[in-house]
Amino acid sequence: MAVAAENQSQPPQNDLPYVLILKPPAAFSIFGDHFFHSPKFQFLKAFESPLPLSQFLLTHAQSVQAILTSASGSVTADTIRLLPHLGLVVTTSQGINHIDLSECRRRGIAVAGAGTIFSTDCADSAVGLLLDVLRKVSAANRYVKQGLWSSQGNYPLGNKLGGKQVGIVGLGSIGTEVAKRLEAFRCSISYNSRSKKPSVPYTFYPNVVELAVNCDALIICCALTDETHHLIGKEVLSALGKDGVIINIARGPIIDEKELVQCLIKREIRGAGLDVFEHEPDVPVELLALDNVVMSPHNAVCTTESLEELRKTVVRNFEAFFSNEPLLTPVPLDDLPHLSG
């Protein structure tokens, strides 16, 4: 058994540079672990080794030159410090809160993300969730499938999206795509961001509470940072009011989930469309019985087309790094904390 464990911890024996994977990206479960294959580098899969992670890293510390990670795999300062030759961290996600960017900057380690690959798909999902909550599409679907239409009559009416006042928190690449789609519905758009954007015609609110007061719906598109953790709490939800809807396709912890659950149960807001949650994959059980909540399993960014584009981008970033060429989708490390929008 000891010999087997030792063999499993050894990297492949060839001259290709090593890319460490701490946890398998979601794409592996869909397409297989060959998804990001390239003839120019090879993967070192920590998750396949029987060794404890710390021992595995110490064993291969001199070999690892890059890391492939995803939103579910943290790249901490402790991990980075164990890898003296680490030069690049590539994440398959648009969010980068799972990487210690300060340590990467301190060590001169480059970081690459998904860029804007997911922006359009994510914006589609955000508007889809908003339409679903307002028009009660999923709830009405259940009503029909349960045979209640014939026995209990017509389902309660929903509300129109056209002409609504919609606030976007984080007018980065995703938020901008959301705004473009809402313009087609003749919505009045306003936003909150780190700073006012002179190039856009939308109303800017420097305070999220003030934004919520002036909106029928709030769509969360910002990155998760120390500053945005629980940005949406009781005060913002109360300002949104009993006719307000909140949509989150960003990161779960941006909303104080306990406060949101209570507001939804008490009907202090109209409803919510949630693709992300504070303690994924666990979802508050209270939400499961509520017809004013529409949920998806953190897949707003995922389509067949976007994942194929991701595959190409990830591979090309690594190949560029190992060829001493510019990265395709570098993450700026000179403006921390990094906030989308």
Side-chain angles (χ1 to χ4, degrees):
M1 293 293 291
V3 174
E6 182 178 349
N7 289 339
Q8 289 184 51
S9 69
Q10 296 301 312
Q13 298 299 309
N14 59 47
D15 295 330
L16 294 177
Y18 295 118
V19 174
L20 172 68
I21 306 179
L22 299 170
K23 294 179 66 176
F28 277 16
S29 64
I30 302 171
F31 300 104
D33 60 6
H34 61 283
F35 187 60
F36 296 113
H37 172 75
S38 168
K40 296 186 178 181
F41 57 85
Q42 60 187 320
F43 288 122
L44 193 59
K45 302 170 185 174
F47 58 90
E48 290 184 349
S49 173
L51 295 176
L53 179 58
S54 58
Q55 186 177 343
F56 182 89
L57 294 178
L58 287 171
T59 301
H60 303 294
Q62 300 302 316
S63 303
V64 174
Q65 298 180 50
I67 290 178
L68 173 62
T69 188
S70 62
S72 63
S74 296
V75 179
T76 65
D78 289 340
T79 297
I80 292 170
R81 289 165 189 158
L82 288 173
L83 304 171
H85 302 296
L86 181 65
L88 173 66
V89 177
V90 174
T91 180
T92 60
S93 61
Q94 191 153 334
I96 51 176
N97 57 288
H98 54 293
I99 303 170
D100 192 320
L101 299 179
S102 296
E103 184 65 17
C104 286
R105 182 174 64 178
R106 190 183 72 80
R107 286 272 308 276
I109 296 167
V111 177
T116 60
I117 289 171
F118 298 131
S119 297
T120 55
D121 289 336
C122 210
D124 289 347
S125 292
V127 176
L129 286 169
L130 180 57
L131 271 169
D132 197 329
V133 174
L134 288 172
R135 296 301 303 270
K136 305 182 180 180
V137 178
S138 292
N141 176 61
R142 288 190 296 271
Y143 187 80
V144 174
K145 287 184 174 180
Q146 291 168 3
L148 300 177
W149 189 13
S150 59
S151 62
Q152 297 187 21
N154 291 333
Y155 192 74
L157 296 177
N159 298 91
K160 67 186 298 180
L161 172 57
K164 288 287 190 291
Q165 295 181 314
V166 181
I168 299 173
V169 181
L171 199 67
S173 60
I174 295 174
T176 300
E177 291 294 333
V178 170
K180 290 177 182 177
R181 285 151 177 75
L182 292 174
E183 286 179 347
F185 289 89
R186 296 177 290 102
C187 291
S188 175
I189 300 164
S190 52
Y191 71 101
N192 166 264
S193 196
R194 283 189 297 173
S195 59
K196 185 175 181 179
K197 299 182 181 296
S199 60
V200 302
Y202 317 127
T203 302
F204 171 69
Y205 290 98
N207 182 282
V208 180
V209 175
E210 188 179 358
L211 175 68
V213 167
N214 290 281
C215 288
D216 302 305
L218 209 57
I219 301 180
I220 312 304
C221 301
C222 62
L224 175 61
T225 67
D226 290 341
E227 287 74 19
T228 62
H229 182 268
H230 282 189
L231 176 68
I232 310 301
K234 177 65 174 177
E235 186 179 10
V236 175
L237 294 170
S238 296
L240 190 58
K242 63 182 181 62
D243 292 325
V245 172
I246 190 160
I247 306 296
N248 191 4
I249 43 81
R251 285 290 185 268
I254 295 172
I255 297 179
D256 186 332
E257 197 165 77
K258 290 183 178 179
E259 290 291 352
L260 175 62
V261 168
Q262 289 306 307
C263 284
L264 288 165
I265 290 174
K266 297 175 182 177
R267 303 283 171 164
E268 293 175 352
I269 62 173
R270 185 188 298 278
L274 307 172
D275 180 64
V276 290
F277 303 87
E278 192 159 3
H279 304 290
E280 295 176 1
D282 296 325
V283 175
V285 66
E286 298 94 332
L287 298 182
L288 303 181
L290 296 178
D291 274 346
N292 61 336
V293 180
V294 179
M295 297 178 285
S296 53
H298 199 154
N299 65 357
V301 301
C302 296
T303 63
T304 302
E305 295 84 356
S306 64
L307 287 179
E308 173 57 22
E309 187 64 26
L310 174 68
R311 183 192 67 77
K312 295 176 183 177
T313 300
V314 166
V315 171
R316 288 170 183 169
N317 271 316
F318 282 124
E319 291 180 347
F321 172 73
F322 290 122
S323 301
N324 293 315
E325 297 175 357
L327 300 175
L328 271 71
T329 54
V331 173
L333 300 182
D334 56 356
D335 186 24
L336 302 179
H338 189 73
L339 179 62
S340 181

